């Protein structure tokens, strides 16, 4: 429908141009017009990937990249309450971006979509050390530790958490899910992660499977 496409295209433009206030207003407008929040999230992800391409093509500098991210965050916060609590509790997840990495747009979208699917998500933010993931997961009796990384230099941090879990005798007890643009299934297998997810929708499916596996084994 033209109306839906029109408002989503205006929202995408606000993200590409790095205008958080406009992005917030356009998201509110999309809700008022009855656009499905999940469709809006997909449009936001697409717009952010265009920002990434412009940066790679050297059309954008860090500032534009940062403002694009701010616009996505502003739009996401408007959508969050409309998605939250659609389902019952599906499991408990500790989520964060690993140490040395401050990228959080993708992680925040993953959080929103997990919450929308009934997961209780404890977001530890960015630059999270492996021991903090472990401590919080124990303290809150989490089903899953979810780690995000966008930098090739921060990916190795994920393995540290997985090793720390094993050393604490918690491998197979608290399960791990990893994601982020530079990752792959092969990398996840190599570091011994329990699941890898390419995007937010896959993160939900993977988390559901992990919780089933954990509860199925009597944990
Ligand atoms: Co930076 N950055 N950045 N950046 N940045 C990248 C990642 C980069 C690829 C750009 C490039 O050079 N082409 C590059 C990394 C190269 C590499 O290591 N391979 C890069 C770099 C180098 C840097 C700096 C080092 C730049 C500098 O300072 N010289 C610096 C790093 C600082 C640090 O972290 N220590 C830096 C800084 C920044 C900004 C602050 C300006 C900003 C981040 C703002 C923020 O996040 N609040 C920024 C941005 C915006 C990007 C790009 C353009 C976009 C990332 C993004 O938001 N994508 C990115 C280029 C690109 O990706 N093309 C780039 C949109 C988001 C929806 O996708 O995050 O992939 P994504 O998340 C997806 C999936 O990956 C998955 O689901 C999400 C939703 O679909 N997913 C998970 C993510 N986490 C998951 C977890 C899961 C499951 C799925 O389970 C737990």
């Amino acid at each position: 429908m033209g109306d839906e496409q029109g408002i989503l295209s205006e929202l995408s433009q606000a993200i590409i141009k790095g205008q958080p206030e406009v992005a917030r207003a356009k998201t509110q407008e999309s809700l008022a017009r009855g656009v499905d929040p999940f469709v809006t999230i997909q449009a936001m992800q697409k717009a952010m990937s265009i920002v990434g391409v412009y940066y790679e093509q050297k059309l954008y500098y860090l500032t534009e990249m940062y403002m694009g991210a701010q616009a996505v965050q502003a739009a996401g916060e408007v959508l969050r309450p409309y998605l939250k609590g659609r389902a019952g509790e599906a499991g408990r997840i500790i989520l964060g971006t690993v140490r040395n990495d401050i990228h959080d747009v993708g992680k925040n979208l993953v959080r929103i979509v997990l919450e929308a699917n009934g997961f209780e998500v404890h977001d530890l933010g960015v630059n999270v050390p492996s021991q903090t993931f472990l401590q919080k997961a124990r303290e809150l009796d989490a089903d899953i530790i979810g780690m995000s990384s966008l930098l090739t230099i921060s990916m190795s941090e994920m393995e540290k958490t997985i090793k720390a879990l094993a050393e604490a005798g918690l491998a197979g007890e608290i399960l791990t899910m990893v994601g982020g643009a530079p990752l792959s299934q092969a990398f996840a297998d190599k570091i011994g992660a329990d699941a890898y997810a390419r995007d937010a929708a896959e993160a939900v499916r993977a988390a559901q499977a992990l919780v089933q596996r954990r509860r199925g084994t009597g944990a």
Side-chain angles (χ1 to χ4, degrees), residues 1 17 41 52 56 59 82 94 137 151 162 166 171 177 187 199 209:
M1 41 155 137
K17 290 180 186 163
I41 283 195
E56 275 152 28
L59 296 169
Y82 291 86
I94 302 296
L151 296 173
I162 292 167
M177 174 166 73
F187 175 78
D199 56 30

Side-chain angles (χ1 to χ4, degrees), residues 2 4 11 29 38 44-45 74 77 80 83 96 113 122 145 172 174 181 185 211 213:
E4 174 171 320
L11 170 60
E29 211 176 314
F38 287 101
M44 285 158 54
Q45 290 181 30
E77 282 310 310
R80 206 169 155 218
L83 288 161
V113 178
H122 295 265
I145 292 177
I174 297 171
Q185 183 66 57
V211 170
R213 176 175 140 197

Side-chain angles (χ1 to χ4, degrees), residues 148-167:
S148 179
S149 158
L150 264 286
L151 296 173
T152 41
I153 54 152
S154 70
M155 286 160 65
S156 56
E157 287 295 321
M158 297 175 154
E159 191 171 12
K160 287 189 189 162
T161 308
I162 292 167
K163 281 192 173 147
L165 268 173
E167 279 159 19

